Amino acid sequence: MISQVSVFLENKPGRLEKVLEILNDNEISLRSISVAETSDYGIFRLILDRPKDAVEKLKEAGFAVKETDVLGLEIDDTKGSMLNAIKELASNQISIEYTYACLPINNDKVIIIVRVDNMEKAKEVLKDSKNCRLLDCDDICFIDK
Amino acid sequence: MYWNERIERISREELTEIQNNRFSKMLRRIYHNVPFYRNKFQELDIYPEDIRGIEDISKLPFTTKQDLRDNYPYGLFATDLSQIVRLHASSGTTGKPIVVGYTREDLNNWAEVCARSIVAAGGSSNSVIQIAYGYGLFTGGLGLHYGAERLGASTIPISSGNTDRQIMLMKDFHTTFLACTPSYALFLADALKDQGISPEELDLKSGIFGAEPWSENMRKEIEKKLNISAHNIYGLSEICGPGVASECSCKNGMHIWEDHFYPEIVDPVSLEPLPYGSLGELVFTSITKEGIPLLRYRTRDLTALHNELCECGRTHVRMERVMGRSDDMIIIRGVNVFPSQIEDVLLQIGELEPHYQLVVTREGTLDCLEVQVEVTDNLFSDKIKNLESLANMIRQRLSSVLQISSKVTLVEPRSIPRSEGKAKRVIDKRNY
């Protein structure tokens, strides 16, 4: 499993910028981002190379922050590969709460981030999957190294 | 026109005599029947016989809302419960309401002052009176109801809400006199316009509006949009309910029915009595009350009293519009709201140091309450649905405590401005 940092942001100019500024000042790299929004606020979800440091720095700056476990699935960058990975979760009655993708790491692999209702079961189901490789924190930290 | 001309135009000398007489009886009642007052008198080494007349009232202690809470529910009643024929309650700060009890004579007096108020505002026994104040524990509806019936008017106990029905009955029943909150009067006016009904098609002539602060501009708007004469009425359940004071056709302040309610204006800080004309906190002694007579009750309402003779011929002093509150209570849609009520709800959901702010606005003609709550690490969830159900839960709990709906907005930690470590709790953006 990999660690995702979630930040509560009000819908007003400059808030997302402030988060990115703090990460930049502390030389924390982004792997992937997603924003879930409502009319008044949003949740900024980030996959970072140093999540623990990010949580500390963002809390210092006064943000409401949470670290959440999510699945990082490395799949082939080919037609139908995401479908096959998701099928395995669905057929085991695992519900997806949200998902988003990382930029392609290289020419033939893609990482998708998935949060499900039953993380332990999902890990068990995907442990030996032929359709995807379950990543851990180290994989994320080493993506660009 | 008067309902009770003899009393309403009584000479000041005769009025003082009546007040002295009733006040001394009231003092004996509370001294002998209410341990709370007896203890207070004994602490000050005062006996009812030491008080020569109403002019000595400033020697006596005040009563506060906290005293009512501390003695919940019946501790300040001066009669046996068997003599109480009605109970009303208003919202309190901490779930427990303020309870008031009325004997048959209290209800009789209440109907009397409401009848005077309705007549002063242009009503008569020929009026068809639509009472669109809430009926129930709130004193607004039933108070005016019995006043209207006492008067012999045709009384429509429609209560608040259901605007379409209000308009239908107003047309079909030929309502001539409307009683409701001023914001609801404007809301009705706009609804009439939306339905293409001009005020000339209605029989409305005048109305009595109160239970929340309003302005001369609002009066002009109500009068123009409904084509009526709009009158201000004042009251509070602790003292009686609506009808403590009301405006005559001169619309130059509300006559306080002084043969029942003895008013004073005091400095809200020093509590020293202030002369006529000065702005201060309004204090009432309910000199005829049997159920729960209160001595020098601090209303927290800021206003001034005027004793110049009114052109209408009534000799009872007039109070100005309430200009504010000496505490932080705000009145929204006629309902008293205390910031501490919001704090209680947030404490209940597990917040240790809740930070919140109330923003009161007027959208169209209705008061709107927005409650901004800072999302702490404790409250924050990574899932939108959890945050939404959090806001929903806060909203539902607030609505059951406050009895009015509100919008709950989640905001970032530390985004609510703090002054000297304490957040500014209320932002009232309403323009009266």
Side-chain angles (χ1 to χ4, degrees):
Chain A
M1 272 191 279
I2 60 178
S3 183
Q4 167 191 264
V5 176
S6 305
V7 191
F8 181 87
L9 293 182
E10 272 179 73
N11 282 356
K12 52 188 186 189
R15 299 313 295 158
L16 198 120
E17 179 193 7
K18 182 72 192 162
V19 173
L20 295 176
E21 201 174 87
I22 290 165
L23 298 177
N24 189 47
D25 289 349
N26 291 283
E27 299 184 334
I28 296 168
S29 291
L30 301 169
R31 300 298 176 216
S32 178
I33 56 159
S34 149
V35 176
E37 96 278 16
T38 71
S39 56
D40 295 316
Y41 58 85
I43 300 173
F44 190 20
R45 300 182 177 124
L46 308 110
I47 305 296
L48 304 162
D49 62 345
R50 285 158 42 220
K52 293 262 182 292
D53 292 348
V55 169
E56 189 194 317
K57 297 297 175 194
L58 289 167
K59 277 191 178 174
E60 267 174 28
F63 286 99
V65 185
K66 264 218 157 51
E67 213 179 334
T68 318
D69 284 334
V70 290
L71 301 171
L73 308 182
E74 187 185 62
I75 54 174
D76 291 334
D77 188 10
T78 54
K79 281 187 188 123
S81 59
M82 180 166 174
L83 172 65
N84 290 331
I86 296 302
K87 260 186 181 166
E88 288 192 70
L89 294 174
S91 62
N92 284 282
Q93 302 304 312
I94 295 166
S95 178
I96 292 174
E97 287 169 343
Y98 53 80
T99 179
Y100 52 100
C102 287
L103 291 171
I105 314 158
N106 52 46
N107 288 337
D108 58 344
K109 295 288 181 195
V110 175
I111 296 172
I112 56 170
I113 305 297
V114 186
R115 170 80 200 181
V116 299
D117 58 350
N118 188 339
M119 293 291 286
E120 287 308 313
K121 190 174 173 190
K123 249 171 35 179
E124 202 53 41
V125 166
L126 297 176
K127 197 174 58 184
D128 302 308
S129 170
K130 297 190 297 294
N131 297 309
C132 63
R133 183 168 76 89
L134 207 51
L135 303 181
D136 65 27
C137 290
D138 292 344
D139 293 313
I140 290 292
C141 297
F142 281 96
I143 288 174
D144 62 353
K145 290 187 183 164
Chain B
M1 285 294 290
Y2 311 95
W3 168 247
N4 187 340
E5 183 167 358
R6 192 187 69 77
I7 288 291
E8 292 176 53
R9 304 189 63 173
I10 195 169
S11 74
R12 293 300 301 181
E13 294 70 31
E14 277 179 279
L15 181 60
T16 306
E17 205 182 309
I18 289 176
Q19 288 173 330
N20 280 331
N21 189 3
R22 291 178 171 177
F23 179 56
S24 78
K25 282 183 188 158
M26 176 216 176
L27 286 182
R28 288 199 294 272
R29 268 203 312 281
I30 60 175
Y31 186 83
H32 293 296
N33 301 341
V34 187
F36 166 82
Y37 281 122
R38 188 164 53 247
N39 293 341
K40 279 203 164 190
F41 280 39
Q42 285 171 349
E43 276 167 30
L44 294 166
D45 203 20
I46 295 172
Y47 291 89
E49 295 73 33
D50 300 339
I51 303 299
R52 285 160 302 163
I54 201 105
E55 76 271 15
D56 282 346
I57 199 166
S58 56
K59 295 176 182 166
L60 296 171
F62 289 97
T63 309
T64 64
K65 198 174 220 99
Q66 189 59 43
D67 294 328
L68 285 161
R69 269 183 225 126
D70 292 345
N71 292 281
Y72 174 88
Y74 300 143
L76 293 185
F77 283 23
T79 49
D80 194 75
L81 210 54
S82 64
Q83 301 301 306
I84 298 290
V85 297
R86 174 98 64 79
L87 292 161
H88 277 286
S90 69
S91 61
T93 52
T94 53
K96 293 287 188 199
I98 298 296
V99 185
V100 289
Y102 302 75
T103 64
R104 201 169 295 284
E105 185 58 18
D106 290 338
L107 291 183
N108 187 32
N109 289 333
W110 190 12
E112 158 77 20
V113 293
C114 280
R116 287 185 206 169
S117 301
I118 294 168
V119 172
S124 74
S125 61
N126 296 324
S127 298
V128 178
I129 301 189
Q130 186 159 340
I131 297 175
Y133 275 115
Y135 278 63
L137 285 176
F138 173 55
T139 49
L142 285 167
L144 283 160
H145 177 95
Y146 284 98
E149 284 193 353
R150 170 65 53 87
L151 181 57
S154 310
T155 308
I156 310 171
I158 189 166
S159 194
S160 53
N162 201 341
T163 305
D164 286 346
R165 175 180 291 237
Q166 300 272 2
I167 290 172
M168 184 180 82
L169 297 196
M170 194 176 278
K171 267 181 80 174
D172 297 352
F173 290 11
H174 304 288
T175 300
T176 61
F177 192 100
L178 176 65
C180 62
T181 61
S183 57
Y184 193 63
L186 279 176
F187 188 80
L188 274 173
D190 289 344
L192 280 167
K193 200 179 168 199
D194 290 344
Q195 296 188 15
I197 301 168
S198 86
E200 286 74 24
E201 296 174 51
L202 301 169
D203 298 281
L204 273 186
K205 289 185 180 62
S206 53
I208 209 163
F209 307 101
E212 67 187 15
W214 56 308
S215 64
E216 281 307 313
N217 279 340
M218 274 181 83
R219 189 210 300 271
K220 280 185 201 130
E221 218 181 322
I222 291 171
E223 293 192 329
K224 193 172 128 228
K225 287 182 168 171
L226 288 175
N227 193 24
I228 60 169
S229 178
H231 303 259
N232 200 359
I233 183 169
Y234 176 87
L236 63 168
S237 55
E238 295 92 321
I239 294 307
C240 172
V244 170
S246 204
E247 269 180 340
C248 61
S249 56
C250 302
K251 297 179 192 170
N252 188 21
M254 295 171 275
H255 290 282
I256 295 172
W257 305 121
E258 289 179 277
D259 52 326
H260 294 286
F261 319 110
Y262 182 79
E264 296 172 83
I265 292 287
V266 301
D267 181 303
V269 181
S270 72
L271 300 180
E272 286 303 314
L274 297 173
Y276 285 121
S278 350
L279 179 66
E281 183 177 324
L282 183 60
V283 170
F284 276 114
T285 299
S286 37
I287 52 178
T288 52
K289 259 287 182 72
E290 296 177 341
I292 177 168
L294 298 181
L295 181 61
R296 306 190 83 199
Y297 182 71
R298 292 185 59 189
T299 64
R300 309 281 173 170
D301 284 330
L302 299 175
T303 184
L305 299 181
H306 297 282
N307 64 340
E308 300 85 10
L309 188 65
C310 184
E311 282 176 34
C312 74
R314 290 176 181 82
T315 50
H316 297 235
V317 298
R318 286 161 292 133
M319 61 177 275
E320 291 180 17
R321 283 182 184 285
V322 172
M323 278 162 247
R325 296 281 309 169
S326 66
D327 56 17
D328 62 357
M329 186 181 94
I330 44 172
I331 301 178
I332 300 168
R333 283 177 245 152
V335 174
N336 296 348
V337 174
F338 298 83
S340 56
Q341 291 174 301
I342 283 86
E343 187 154 339
D344 284 346
V345 166
L346 297 174
L347 286 169
Q348 278 168 28
I349 61 166
E351 273 298 82
L352 300 176
E353 248 192 81
H355 283 292
Y356 58 89
Q357 191 168 54
L358 312 187
V359 182
V360 191
T361 52
R362 187 159 273 169
E363 284 178 29
T365 59
L366 284 185
D367 292 339
C368 294
L369 171 64
E370 179 189 358
V371 180
Q372 299 180 343
V373 181
E374 283 190 9
V375 172
T376 55
D377 281 340
N378 179 26
L379 294 179
F380 179 46
S381 160
D382 167 57
K383 292 183 199 116
I384 295 276
K385 72 173 177 197
N386 292 357
L387 290 175
E388 276 175 349
S389 60
L390 170 74
N392 246 329
M393 180 179 70
I394 297 173
R395 195 173 51 74
Q396 278 167 8
R397 290 201 185 188
L398 281 177
S399 122
S400 80
V401 172
L402 304 178
Q403 303 296 327
I404 54 166
S405 60
S406 58
K407 175 184 194 290
V408 173
T409 308
L410 302 178
V411 299
E412 284 178 32
R414 295 191 229 174
S415 62
I416 292 170
R418 287 146 170 78
S419 53
E420 294 160 353
K422 234 187 146 186
K424 186 162 163 36
R425 294 299 186 207
V426 180
I427 301 208
D428 197 336
K429 293 180 176 169
R430 290 176 291 189
N431 295 314
Y432 299 116

